[in-house]
Amino acid sequence: MKKMPKFPVVFLVIIGMFLSSSGLSSVYAQKAKKNTVRLKVDYIKIIDSLSYFNIKAFSRVNRENIDVSDIDLTVYNEIDDENVELGSTTTDRNGECKFVLNDFNTIASDSTNTYNFVVKFKGNDAYKKVSKSISFKDASIQTNLITKDSINYISAMLKETKTDSVLSDQLLNVQVQRLFRPLRIGKEFNMTDENGSIIVAIDKNIPGINGNLMIEVILNDSELYGTLKAVVKAPFGSPIIEESTFDDRTMWSPRNKTPLFLLIFPNLIIFGIWGFIIYLFFNLLKISKS
């Protein structure tokens, strides 16, 4: 009687080991620990313009904070334990995104005039699901430009919108828009008085385009009202005198705007040298013929 070949048995053993290892790897992948996403949500309102959320998503991986990009976040308005979906947004490569509240009048508040929102992430293969709540009351900043005794001022009043009540003891920053960093004006701390108002003098020597200044009055990162910003155009600056030499003929201009003396004198010298050479050449011809 012939012996059975050992090759099929070895082949079956190898196949079994491969299947068991792949099964273990899939189980391990399913049990792999997901990271937790952390959300930072800030409410910002530009008076007479728009309101929006600035959202930042990050996670702590291997003891290091990293930005979480390309994840979908959904924003809800919480009304009596019910979530009304407002829309969704996606984080960019820096883990940041903006969600604009298009029609604020359609958003409901609770009995205390507080607006409640929640931002949710449904989770994916790498990160767990997470949600972040934010609540605030609606407020506004009313500004006015005043000139008294040849001194220019800007006044601002902070009011709660729903109750139309003034807000005292709130810190308002006043600054002039600049290209890189705004210019703070007034006192270091401008606290609203019992009428919810502040008044700040504006220096006449601040330069502005056509003498106009873009002045910002800001309630920054309030726990109750978020960040509010009012922007007003004030004709209280000193006009900027343009000192550009772009259209002038200067030594540092491009070649199509070369100074005239650099065009005239070098060419005169060149023509003079060639004229002298031609004169010598004709004289040599005369000498050779004589």
Side-chain angles (χ1 to χ4, degrees):
M1 185 177 179
K2 295 181 179 181
K3 294 184 178 180
M4 295 291 293
K6 296 182 180 180
F7 177 74
V9 178
V10 174
F11 179 74
L12 291 176
V13 171
I14 294 174
I15 293 297
M17 292 177 61
F18 174 76
L19 292 176
S20 63
S21 62
S22 62
L24 288 175
S25 62
S26 63
V27 171
Y28 177 78
Q30 292 177 356
K31 293 183 179 180
K33 184 178 179 181
K34 295 183 178 181
N35 295 311
T36 301
V37 176
R38 302 178 184 181
L39 299 176
K40 184 178 184 296
V41 184
D42 296 319
Y43 169 67
I44 299 174
K45 177 180 179 180
I46 311 297
I47 306 301
D48 298 328
S49 181
L50 77 162
S51 302
Y52 60 92
F53 293 126
N54 264 348
I55 305 174
K56 172 75 174 179
F58 59 97
S59 179
R60 189 164 183 82
V61 180
N62 297 327
R63 298 182 180 181
E64 182 180 358
N65 288 333
I66 63 171
D67 299 327
V68 181
S69 61
D70 298 324
I71 61 172
D72 296 326
L73 303 174
T74 307
V75 181
Y76 298 88
N77 179 204
E78 290 185 328
I79 309 171
D80 298 329
D81 297 329
E82 180 182 356
N83 291 336
V84 178
E85 183 176 341
L86 300 179
S88 60
T89 183
T90 304
T91 58
D92 59 16
R93 63 179 182 178
N94 297 319
E96 299 175 348
C97 58
K98 177 188 291 187
F99 183 83
V100 179
L101 301 172
N102 293 315
D103 191 357
F104 203 85
N105 294 324
T106 62
I107 300 172
S109 61
D110 61 17
S111 58
T112 63
N113 299 321
T114 301
Y115 293 89
N116 302 296
F117 298 86
V118 60
V119 180
K120 291 186 177 181
F121 169 56
K122 296 181 180 179
N124 55 23
D125 295 337
Y127 298 100
K128 301 177 184 177
K129 64 180 181 179
V130 69
S131 63
K132 178 69 174 181
S133 298
I134 180 172
S135 301
F136 57 86
K137 292 185 176 182
D138 189 29
S140 63
I141 300 175
Q142 300 175 0
T143 58
N144 190 25
L145 299 175
I146 304 170
T147 301
K148 184 178 180 181
D149 297 332
S150 300
I151 300 177
N152 300 316
Y153 298 90
I154 181 172
S155 65
M157 179 182 293
L158 181 63
K159 302 180 70 175
E160 188 173 312
T161 305
K162 286 282 188 179
T163 60
D164 196 33
S165 57
V166 298
L167 302 173
S168 59
D169 297 326
Q170 299 290 326
L171 177 62
L172 295 179
N173 295 325
V174 183
Q175 59 192 30
V176 179
Q177 287 183 356
R178 283 293 181 261
L179 184 59
F180 297 105
R181 185 176 180 180
L183 174 66
R184 290 282 295 271
I185 60 176
K187 301 177 182 178
E188 184 177 359
F189 300 102
N190 299 303
M191 305 297 295
T192 56
D193 58 18
E194 64 274 7
N195 298 318
S197 301
I198 63 168
I199 185 168
V200 175
I202 304 173
D203 192 348
K204 292 183 178 180
N205 297 324
I206 301 176
I209 299 176
N210 297 324
N212 295 316
L213 304 176
M214 301 302 295
I215 301 178
E216 300 176 342
V217 182
I218 302 175
L219 174 67
N220 193 27
D221 200 18
S222 169
E223 293 183 0
L224 286 177
Y225 306 102
T227 296
L228 307 180
K229 180 187 292 187
V231 182
V232 58
K233 185 177 180 180
F236 295 157
S238 60
I240 296 176
I241 301 175
E242 186 177 358
E243 297 180 352
S244 174
T245 59
F246 181 79
D247 294 324
D248 298 336
R249 292 183 176 273
T250 58
M251 295 292 291
W252 48 87
S253 297
R255 64 180 180 178
N256 61 335
K257 295 178 182 178
T258 303
L260 292 177
F261 74 91
L262 286 180
L263 294 175
I264 295 173
F265 290 105
N267 288 321
L268 287 177
I269 294 173
I270 292 172
F271 289 139
I273 292 173
W274 276 107
F276 183 72
I277 292 174
I278 293 172
Y279 174 75
L280 291 177
F281 179 76
F282 277 109
N283 284 337
L284 289 174
L285 286 177
K286 289 179 180 179
I287 293 172
S288 63
K289 291 178 179 180
S290 61

